[in-house]
Amino acid sequence: MSPGLVQAQPAGCSHVDAVHAQENAVPLCVLSPEGGLVARFSVEIADTDEKRAQGLMGRTQLKPGAGMLFVYPSPRPVAFWMHNTLIPLDMIFVDDAGRITNVHANARPLDETPIPSRGPAQYVLEIGGGQAARLGLLPGMVLQPLP
């Protein structure tokens, strides 16, 4: 678990609704700065160069509540693009303590314009375009648990 994260999982964080569950996915929660549950996701983990390079390219859909968590060995500036990505995505950049630093909403499919983090990121959560706004995900909120 990353330093600075709440050690106990909030109620419901380990539970993923069957409609949101996907194979090879793990539960991930977004907490308010005070520790309250804001959102729950079922995410695939992209923790190797190969998995990070593939990302969500080629997917034609992403269920609500599903996503992909990109994990880097250490914090660093990162930039994403939408090359061969067919669906709009929200990109949520997260520091080494699990805190959201910035959110890029509705990245356009097939757009090759780089989308940078605003500073070092150790994690990037990609979810369906528009979900971050609908759920009220904001800088300062915390992802938990992190690998």
Side-chain angles (χ1 to χ4, degrees):
M1 178 139 337
S2 295
L5 293 182
V6 178
Q7 295 300 311
Q9 282 190 1
C13 191
S14 62
H15 169 74
V16 176
D17 296 329
V19 71
H20 295 144
Q22 52 188 3
E23 197 170 323
N24 299 319
V26 298
L28 180 72
C29 289
V30 179
L31 308 177
S32 70
E34 297 77 29
L37 182 63
V38 174
R40 185 174 50 226
F41 296 98
S42 175
V43 298
E44 298 173 62
I45 303 294
D47 57 358
T48 65
D49 289 339
E50 296 78 22
K51 289 178 184 177
R52 288 188 294 264
Q54 177 62 39
L56 292 170
M57 289 192 304
R59 306 272 179 104
T60 57
Q61 66 177 356
L62 189 62
K63 293 179 183 177
M68 181 171 280
L69 182 67
F70 294 77
V71 179
Y72 294 91
S74 61
R76 65 193 66 199
V78 296
F80 281 58
W81 65 345
M82 296 290 286
H83 180 77
N84 289 332
T85 305
L86 307 175
I87 53 176
L89 297 172
D90 290 344
M91 297 176 189
I92 301 160
F93 297 91
V94 180
D95 68 15
D96 60 335
R99 282 185 300 277
I100 296 174
T101 57
N102 65 294
V103 177
H104 180 91
N106 284 306
R108 292 187 315 251
L110 305 174
D111 187 353
E112 295 188 6
T113 305
I115 300 167
S117 58
R118 293 184 189 150
Q122 189 161 359
Y123 308 94
V124 180
L125 174 62
E126 287 186 341
I127 57 177
Q131 283 191 57
R134 280 192 298 279
L135 296 168
L137 304 185
L138 299 169
M141 291 182 173
V142 177
L143 270 60
Q144 183 193 2
L146 289 170

